Amino acid sequence: MKTLQKLSIPMLAVLSLIGCKSVPSSTSDYRIAKQNIQGVTLDQTQATQIGTNFVATFNTLGTPSFIKNVDQLYADRLFINDTLSQFNHKTALMQHFKGMNQRVSNVNVQLVSATYHQDSAYVHWYMAYDFKIFGKNKTMQSYGMSEIKVNPAQQIIFQQDYWDPTNGLYRSLPYVGGVYSWLLPFKKSH
């Protein structure tokens, strides 16, 4: 019990400091990028093809071919917010993907649906994968949606992902998941 008390004081201090940290909002970045980045005007067939290409590329995540495939999927200048990170240049995005590619395996991405409005494709997807953390593989899974705009070469120039990292990732992580469950318990009514 005394060990728990000794650990709880430093833990509360760390949580207090984390709670005071100011984190910038990506809402204004999204609004500006959505207004300023114009993609190709789409129809349903094109939206479905964008979703199919997206899913096919991410199904190679964790393999040697992923980096080549994802390099072809994205344009050099872009806006991408994947809920955990934001990028404006492909070079930084590629570094991010190289790191992910080393920690992920057994990827299964499925296209649930795709639709469009003007120059935006809305791709609804399901993703499951094994994520290596602390030397162990942990299976993660999540549903999400990506708003995607492409250039005439069919490369992604705008992508805003919508998914819940709390339930799709953080709650599954060792130690972190316990803290999330304690601070933000998931409630489900029957």
Side-chain angles (χ1 to χ4, degrees):
M1 186 63 152
K2 287 186 179 193
T3 304
L4 184 59
Q5 287 175 332
K6 287 180 184 178
L7 289 174
S8 65
I9 292 172
M11 182 72 138
L12 285 173
V14 169
L15 287 173
S16 297
L17 290 174
I18 290 170
C20 294
K21 182 180 181 207
S22 175
V23 178
S25 170
S26 62
T27 303
S28 62
D29 294 338
Y30 165 78
R31 184 175 48 252
I32 292 166
K34 182 159 177 70
Q35 289 172 351
N36 294 332
I37 299 174
Q38 297 302 308
V40 174
T41 302
L42 302 173
D43 62 23
Q44 185 58 50
T45 302
Q46 291 166 312
T48 302
Q49 189 59 52
I50 289 168
T52 301
N53 292 345
F54 184 78
V55 165
T57 298
F58 280 91
N59 265 315
T60 64
L61 181 60
T63 70
S65 61
F66 174 69
I67 298 303
K68 178 181 153 239
N69 294 343
V70 81
D71 186 49
Q72 294 171 358
L73 187 65
Y74 290 93
D76 290 334
R77 297 269 309 144
L78 51 83
F79 171 85
I80 179 173
N81 182 329
D82 72 0
T83 302
L84 300 175
S85 307
Q86 185 173 305
F87 303 94
N88 293 310
H89 299 282
K90 187 160 88 171
T91 52
L93 178 63
M94 292 303 293
Q95 287 305 115
H96 171 72
F97 283 146
K98 286 176 184 175
M100 276 180 58
N101 204 45
Q102 293 174 358
R103 294 186 306 272
V104 174
S105 61
N106 299 319
V107 176
N108 175 18
V109 185
Q110 298 171 14
L111 178 62
V112 176
S113 66
T115 190
Y116 72 98
H117 177 72
Q118 298 172 347
D119 65 341
S120 292
Y122 296 91
V123 179
H124 184 196
W125 46 261
Y126 166 81
M127 177 183 265
Y129 57 93
D130 291 341
F131 183 76
K132 187 176 225 168
I133 185 161
F134 302 123
K136 294 183 180 181
N137 282 335
K138 182 76 176 164
T139 299
M140 311 284 187
Q141 55 185 334
S142 181
Y143 282 93
M145 187 187 72
S146 298
E147 178 183 359
I148 297 173
K149 295 182 182 189
V150 297
N151 62 19
Q154 299 304 303
Q155 293 176 306
I156 295 174
I157 55 174
F158 176 95
Q159 179 181 326
Q160 174 68 48
D161 290 347
Y162 301 95
W163 65 286
D164 181 4
T166 303
N167 285 316
L169 176 63
Y170 296 141
R171 288 186 193 276
S172 301
L173 296 175
Y175 307 109
V176 174
V179 172
Y180 261 95
S181 295
W182 179 65
L183 291 173
L184 304 167
F186 181 74
K187 297 175 183 165
K188 182 177 177 180
S189 66
H190 290 46

